[in-house]
């Protein structure tokens, strides 16, 4: 057992004792769920998150984490339901809207993904991942000018995020601005992004 695993085991034991002593303490159960998840104990993490909802059916962070776990396991319908429940509790949050966008995009529903990502950016205009994802969904839908706009906003917010530059390069390529696409892709690569060699070749073929 590694030192990190030993530390996690110790933390889990302490939190389990705390949850036994304070069975209605939602913070303790939620913290335990997060540590279970980090330790790879997914079933126990899910059980602790569901306990949070038993204590408080409006525990929005628990709903978001339940959705994330279902998404990781490929259970898209359950992930969607959990995030939609989070939105029902607090429609002003950005994260569940962004998560809903990811789920719809995974399902091939670009228009629904765009709607969800747009709500995320409206709720939190500084959420760069929502802009990055929105750019991807706009490309998927064939809205290349809007994809460029979204990707540029992501780059403006977080100029050192390589994925933002990569998604801008993709959007610019489809928008037929090949010189700008090459520049953005070069920046993405310089920041450590594993750029798609097919995109590199496609841009070079247009120059």
């Amino acid at each position: 057992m590694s030192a990190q695993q030993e530390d996690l085991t110790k933390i889990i034991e302490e939190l389990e004792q705390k949850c036994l002593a304070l069975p209605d303490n939602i913070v303790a159960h939620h913290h335990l769920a997060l540590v279970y998840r980090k330790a790879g104990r997914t079933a126990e993490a899910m059980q602790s998150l569901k306990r949070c909802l038993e204590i408080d059916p409006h525990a929005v962070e628990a709903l978001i984490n339940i959705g994330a776990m279902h998404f990781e396991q490929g259970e898209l319908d359950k992930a969607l339901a959990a995030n939609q429940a989070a939105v029902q509790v607090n429609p002003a949050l950005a994260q569940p809207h962004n998560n809903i966008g990811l789920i719809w995009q995974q399902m091939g529903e670009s228009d629904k993904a765009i709607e969800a990502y747009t709500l995320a950016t409206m709720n939190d205009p500084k959420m760069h991942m929502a802009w990055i994802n929105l750019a991807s969904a706009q490309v998927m839908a064939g809205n290349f000018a809007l994809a460029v706009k979204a990707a540029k906003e992501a780059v403006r917010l977080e100029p050192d995020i390589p994925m933002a530059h990569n998604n801008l390069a993709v959007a610019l390529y489809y928008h037929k601005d090949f010189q700008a696409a090459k520049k953005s892709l070069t920046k993405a690569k310089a920041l450590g992004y594993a750029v798609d060699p097919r995109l590199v070749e496609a841009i070079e073929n247009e120059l």
Side-chain angles (χ1 to χ4, degrees), residues 8 12-13 15-16 29-49 69:
L8 283 175
I12 286 170
E13 288 173 354
L15 284 169
E16 285 174 339
H29 285 284
H30 192 255
H31 192 186
L32 177 58
L34 297 180
V35 182
Y36 274 146
R37 189 177 173 196
K38 189 173 183 180
R41 294 165 64 171
T42 55
E44 289 158 300
M46 186 66 78
Q47 186 176 2
S48 290
L49 289 170
M69 290 186 67

Side-chain angles (χ1 to χ4, degrees), residues 6-178:
E6 287 180 4
D7 288 343
L8 283 175
T9 299
K10 184 179 179 182
I11 293 168
I12 286 170
E13 288 173 354
E14 290 172 354
L15 284 169
E16 285 174 339
Q17 289 301 315
K18 186 173 182 179
C19 289
L20 284 172
L22 301 167
D24 293 329
N25 187 313
I26 193 168
V27 175
H29 285 284
H30 192 255
H31 192 186
L32 177 58
L34 297 180
V35 182
Y36 274 146
R37 189 177 173 196
K38 189 173 183 180
R41 294 165 64 171
T42 55
E44 289 158 300
M46 186 66 78
Q47 186 176 2
S48 290
L49 289 170
K50 288 180 178 178
R51 175 60 188 145
C52 291
L53 293 180
E54 289 174 1
I55 299 167
D56 178 7
H58 296 143
V60 69
E61 289 298 328
L63 286 166
I64 290 171
N65 280 299
I66 286 171
M69 290 186 67
H70 283 308
F71 186 79
E72 288 171 0
Q73 294 162 11
E75 298 169 342
L76 299 184
D77 289 339
K78 290 180 179 179
L80 184 61
N83 280 285
Q84 287 174 333
V87 167
Q88 288 293 318
V89 173
N90 188 348
L93 289 176
Q95 189 62 55
H97 287 293
N98 183 66
N99 294 349
I100 288 168
L102 287 169
I103 296 162
W104 283 127
Q105 195 167 355
Q106 189 83 2
M107 292 179 172
E109 297 278 1
S110 59
D111 289 343
K112 291 180 180 179
I114 288 166
E115 181 181 358
Y117 292 139
T118 300
L119 285 169
T121 62
M122 289 170 63
N123 286 348
D124 183 0
K126 294 183 179 180
M127 188 179 188
H128 67 275
M129 278 309 304
W131 289 106
I132 289 172
N133 293 334
L134 178 58
S136 175
Q138 295 286 19
V139 167
M140 185 177 170
N143 304 324
F144 304 129
L146 292 173
V148 170
K149 183 178 179 181
K152 282 183 175 179
E153 182 61 15
V155 168
R156 187 189 71 80
L157 289 167
E158 293 289 345
D160 294 328
I161 299 292
M163 186 185 290
H165 291 279
N166 180 78
N167 283 20
L168 177 55
V170 172
L172 287 164
Y173 169 77
Y174 283 107
H175 197 47
K176 301 190 181 301
D177 191 345
F178 304 118

